[in-house]
Amino acid sequence: MLRKVGYKDIKREVFNRIRQNEWAPGELLPGEVVLAAEFGCARATVNRAMQELSDDGIIDRRRKGGSRVKLTPVRQATFEIPLVKSEIESKGAIYTYQLISSIKEVAPLWLQKQLSLSAYTRVQHIQCIHYADDRPYQYEDRWINHNTVPLSAEFDFNTQSPNEWLVNEVPYTNAEVRFSATISDVKIAQALEMANGEAVFKAERTTWLSDEPVTFVTLYFVKGYEMLISY
Amino acid sequence: MLRKVGYKDIKREVFNRIRQNEWAPGELLPGEVVLAAEFGCARATVNRAMQELSDDGIIDRRRKGGSRVKLTPVRQATFEIPLVKSEIESKGAIYTYQLISSIKEVAPLWLQKQLSLSAYTRVQHIQCIHYADDRPYQYEDRWINHNTVPLSAEFDFNTQSPNEWLVNEVPYTNAEVRFSATISDVKIAQALEMANGEAVFKAERTTWLSDEPVTFVTLYFVKGYEMLISY
DNA sequence: ATTGATATTATGTCTATACATAAAAATTAT
DNA sequence: ATAATTTTTATGTATAGACATAATATCAAT
């Protein structure tokens, strides 16, 4: 006996037709009513399938315009931005952390530009190292906007890393990360206990709370670090 | 007059309560029926809101177990894996491409291990360079499995890059990318017209078609390259 | 030809209801 | 006590019907 078709069946079938070029990039797909008739199910079921395909970046949908196959049906990969602590512990290592400095100061010019801050905005500048099994794992160089996060001026970052504290205490609405490769300079090399001139994986993250910059952080990962994404 | 509550309102409200620690990490949330009563809507509406929060990585849901706030409410970022060609053209630069070599050979040992290939599996080894405005942008070092993609033995990769050809012709079911930083050796430095010992952003991607390895590629990006992700 | 009003249409969303299913909880058998 | 079985429950999914909404298409007026 034939099983009832579910939205997952429809999703798979439509995806296959797209993959096999039965429906080519840019092409207008049949409407939900038509597909519902073909698959013998309710329109709502087709709707859910198509909506997820849209979320997955396979098709574009517009009211009245209908659904069409994306011109570049790029698959989207999702990856999680974990807490360093969780990341380290999930590898079975013991997490420790050391604060190097926490200074209240006026935002330097480059940071003003980077975060579109007004002049003389005060920021908290924090530098620290995250360890996995007592070996350096990540060097964190962070700036927190006093205007949006006044509490940062008082908190004792010896007890908890700014990373963890912010995640737990300060919400954000949107963020941006820039990944790149760089060469270890003296400061980084010393902090991460590696030679000078080594390849370092670098991440620069900025977060905002409804257009107000919250924090800017540069993370330097120890030599050999890999960021893995499956999809 | 009050508007009807939609699933987006519920999603936002629940998210806010979680952010403001009204519902803490690990905590069991009210069931869908309860929430539906509170918000004065149908259970299906709450269901959609909660399902999306689950997709977004905010909460965990289990049948009978109910929904709870994720212990580490990590936000997921989605990013697209673009075609090099599209990536370059979207920056307003002119894309060109040069094939260096395309050789049919038996998979070397390290690749056999990497892709879990049986011994003596034949592969196509392709090396090429992608240019933006005639300046090197990316060096591609690719291996294609002849068993899964026999056509790769015949195709003339002078006319189209393996990247583009594969995306258009060969489907895959899952993939894995590893991003890291490395130092340019002689070969890479020469290909990307940069000095020896510079920092290079590296990506290694493996794709499978239902457990059959399709291709393994190492991409080296020119000095200064940044991968940007917003979320 | 251009503008503006109006109709049309495909998707977006909500509802009430029903049944499915996984997993925890309670109960019974060993 | 422990294992096997049944019950309960929260989520998962499907449906028919309804109305909302955005965007296109059409047609009328300038």
Side-chain angles (χ1 to χ4, degrees):
Chain A
M1 183 201 161
L2 286 172
R3 273 186 59 258
K4 196 188 279 195
V5 296
Y7 78 96
K8 281 178 180 165
D9 301 305
I10 298 175
K11 205 179 153 182
R12 186 170 43 244
E13 177 60 22
V14 171
F15 182 56
N16 280 338
R17 289 186 191 174
I18 289 173
R19 270 209 324 209
Q20 290 160 25
N21 241 274
E22 193 169 330
W23 288 328
E27 187 174 339
L28 186 67
L29 303 182
E32 295 185 348
V33 183
V34 178
L35 288 175
E38 185 199 326
F39 289 109
C41 66
R43 182 173 77 89
T45 307
V46 174
N47 181 273
R48 179 156 184 195
M50 299 299 271
Q51 208 135 56
E52 293 207 353
L53 284 171
S54 172
D55 289 344
D56 293 349
I58 308 293
I59 64 176
D60 278 325
R61 325 190 74 206
R62 319 180 52 172
R63 276 176 172 158
K64 167 78 182 178
S67 304
R68 23 187 94 239
V69 182
K70 270 211 172 183
L71 288 167
T72 52
V74 276
R75 294 258 298 259
Q76 289 182 338
T78 68
F79 78 103
E80 298 183 346
I81 317 280
L83 272 174
V84 210
K85 189 183 172 193
S86 314
E87 188 179 351
I88 288 173
E89 286 173 346
S90 75
K91 291 179 181 177
I94 291 174
Y95 171 78
T96 48
Y97 151 79
Q98 196 196 353
L99 180 65
I100 296 173
S101 65
S102 175
I103 303 165
K104 185 196 292 187
E105 61 182 87
V106 169
L109 257 171
W110 66 267
L111 187 65
Q112 285 178 26
K113 267 176 65 180
Q114 173 83 31
L115 298 184
S116 310
L117 296 173
S118 50
Y120 306 116
T121 303
R122 289 187 169 281
V123 292
Q124 193 74 21
H125 182 198
I126 302 151
Q127 293 172 292
C128 57
I129 305 175
H130 303 273
Y131 295 87
D133 283 340
D134 290 328
R135 284 165 46 218
Y137 183 84
Q138 184 190 92
Y139 178 83
E140 177 176 348
D141 188 345
R142 184 182 292 272
W143 307 78
I144 304 177
N145 185 351
H146 271 187
N147 288 347
T148 40
V149 195
L151 281 175
S152 64
E154 300 157 31
F155 186 78
D156 177 10
F157 289 107
N158 279 295
T159 59
Q160 198 179 30
S161 83
N163 178 359
E164 224 177 321
W165 183 75
L166 281 168
V167 166
N168 290 325
E169 302 295 330
V170 185
Y172 64 93
T173 48
N174 54 308
E176 196 180 87
V177 204
R178 241 171 247 280
F179 296 101
S180 60
T182 191
I183 293 289
S184 59
D185 60 16
V186 183
K187 192 175 75 172
I188 304 301
Q190 195 161 21
L192 295 180
E193 293 172 18
M194 56 197 255
N196 225 322
E198 293 273 22
V200 173
F201 189 82
K202 179 168 107 176
E204 296 167 295
R205 177 145 99 240
T206 313
T207 62
W208 291 267
L209 179 58
S210 43
D211 299 330
E212 277 295 308
V214 173
T215 181
F216 171 73
V217 62
T218 307
L219 305 170
Y220 299 91
F221 291 83
V222 74
K223 184 189 172 189
Y225 175 81
E226 291 184 337
M227 182 170 78
L228 174 68
I229 298 175
S230 302
Y231 56 99
Chain B
M1 182 203 163
L2 287 172
R3 274 186 57 260
K4 195 189 280 193
V5 295
Y7 79 97
K8 283 178 179 167
D9 301 305
I10 298 176
K11 205 179 152 181
R12 186 171 42 247
E13 176 60 22
V14 171
F15 182 56
N16 281 337
R17 290 186 190 172
I18 289 172
R19 273 209 322 208
Q20 289 158 26
N21 242 274
E22 192 170 328
W23 289 328
E27 186 174 340
L28 186 68
L29 303 181
E32 296 186 347
V33 183
V34 178
L35 288 175
E38 184 199 329
F39 290 109
C41 66
R43 183 172 77 88
T45 308
V46 174
N47 182 273
R48 180 158 183 192
M50 300 298 272
Q51 209 136 54
E52 292 206 355
L53 283 170
S54 172
D55 289 344
D56 293 350
I58 308 294
I59 64 176
D60 277 327
R61 326 191 72 206
R62 320 179 51 171
R63 276 176 170 154
K64 166 78 183 181
S67 304
R68 29 187 88 238
V69 182
K70 269 211 172 183
L71 289 166
T72 52
V74 277
R75 294 252 301 253
Q76 289 182 337
T78 68
F79 77 100
E80 298 182 346
I81 317 281
L83 272 174
V84 211
K85 189 184 172 192
S86 314
E87 186 179 352
I88 289 173
E89 286 173 347
S90 75
K91 291 179 180 175
I94 292 173
Y95 169 79
T96 47
Y97 151 79
Q98 196 195 353
L99 178 67
I100 296 172
S101 64
S102 176
I103 303 165
K104 185 196 291 188
E105 60 182 88
V106 169
L109 256 170
W110 65 267
L111 186 66
Q112 284 179 25
K113 266 176 67 180
Q114 173 82 31
L115 299 184
S116 311
L117 297 173
S118 51
Y120 307 115
T121 303
R122 290 189 168 277
V123 291
Q124 194 72 23
H125 183 199
I126 302 151
Q127 292 173 293
C128 57
I129 305 175
H130 303 273
Y131 296 86
D133 282 340
D134 290 328
R135 284 164 46 219
Y137 183 83
Q138 184 191 93
Y139 177 83
E140 177 176 347
D141 189 345
R142 183 182 292 271
W143 306 78
I144 304 177
N145 185 351
H146 271 188
N147 288 347
T148 40
V149 195
L151 281 174
S152 63
E154 300 157 32
F155 187 78
D156 178 10
F157 289 108
N158 280 294
T159 59
Q160 198 179 31
S161 82
N163 178 359
E164 222 176 323
W165 182 75
L166 280 168
V167 166
N168 291 323
E169 302 295 329
V170 184
Y172 63 93
T173 48
N174 54 309
E176 196 181 87
V177 204
R178 242 170 247 281
F179 296 101
S180 60
T182 190
I183 293 289
S184 58
D185 60 16
V186 183
K187 191 175 76 172
I188 304 301
Q190 195 162 18
L192 296 180
E193 292 173 19
M194 55 195 259
N196 225 321
E198 292 273 22
V200 173
F201 189 83
K202 179 168 106 176
E204 295 167 295
R205 179 145 98 239
T206 313
T207 62
W208 290 267
L209 179 59
S210 44
D211 299 330
E212 276 295 308
V214 173
T215 182
F216 172 74
V217 62
T218 307
L219 306 170
Y220 300 91
F221 291 83
V222 74
K223 184 190 173 187
Y225 175 81
E226 292 184 336
M227 182 171 78
L228 174 68
I229 299 176
S230 302
Y231 54 99

